[in-house]
Amino acid sequence: MYRRILVPTDGSTLSKKAMKSAIELAASIGAEVVAVNVVPRYPMSYFEGGANVSGAEVARVEKLWAEQGQSLADDVGKAAEKAGVKAKATTVRSDLVAEAILAAAKKNRCDLIVMASHGRKGLKRLLLGSETQHVLTHGNIPVLVLR
C-alpha cells in the first residue's frame, strides 16, 4: 500500500493530530514517516522607508527559525521511533509552504501526504488561502486530510 508517508508539521494542535494519525497508519502498514517543517525566509522590505536590518541579524533570525523548525520535525521523528516506525525529520526553507511540501514529498519519494486542515472559514479562507487545498489540487500523490 503506502511505503513512505510525509507529515508536514508546524507544531499546532491540528498538525500534532495529523502526526499521531500518520504514525498510527505507518505502524499498522509497515511504512516509514517523513516529517517536514517549512521554515520561512526572513521578510525583506524593498520599499523606501523600510527598516534596515543587518545581514548578520537576518542570518541569526533565519538560523533560529531553522533550529526551531528542525526541533518540531525531530519531535515527530521521535514519536514515530517510539512507536516502532522508521522516521526521517527535515526542514525546508521556503515562503511557499504548499509547494515546499509537494517538493519534499517528491524528493523523499513519499506516496502519501497526511496533513491537517486548518479550519479557516469564510473570508479568512478566501483571503489567506489554504495550504492544504493547494497541496490537494497541485499534487499528484494521495493526500489524507484530517480535521
Side-chain angles (χ1 to χ4, degrees), residues 105-120:
K106 184 176 182 178
K107 178 181 177 184
N108 290 284
R109 297 184 322 273
C110 296
D111 44 17
L112 177 67
I113 299 172
V114 175
M115 60 190 305
S117 67
H118 49 60
R120 283 189 201 131

Side-chain angles (χ1 to χ4, degrees), residues 52-108:
N52 279 338
V53 180
S54 71
E57 178 63 11
V58 170
R60 184 192 70 76
V61 171
E62 285 188 337
K63 181 179 183 227
L64 175 67
W65 289 348
E67 289 170 353
Q68 291 171 342
Q70 188 63 48
S71 177
L72 290 171
D74 287 342
D75 289 346
V76 176
K78 289 173 189 171
E81 289 175 359
K82 186 176 179 182
V85 174
K86 185 176 175 184
K88 175 183 177 182
T90 187
T91 58
V92 177
R93 186 170 287 169
S94 177
D95 292 326
L96 305 171
V97 176
E99 291 173 7
I101 290 168
L102 291 169
K106 184 176 182 178
K107 178 181 177 184
N108 290 284

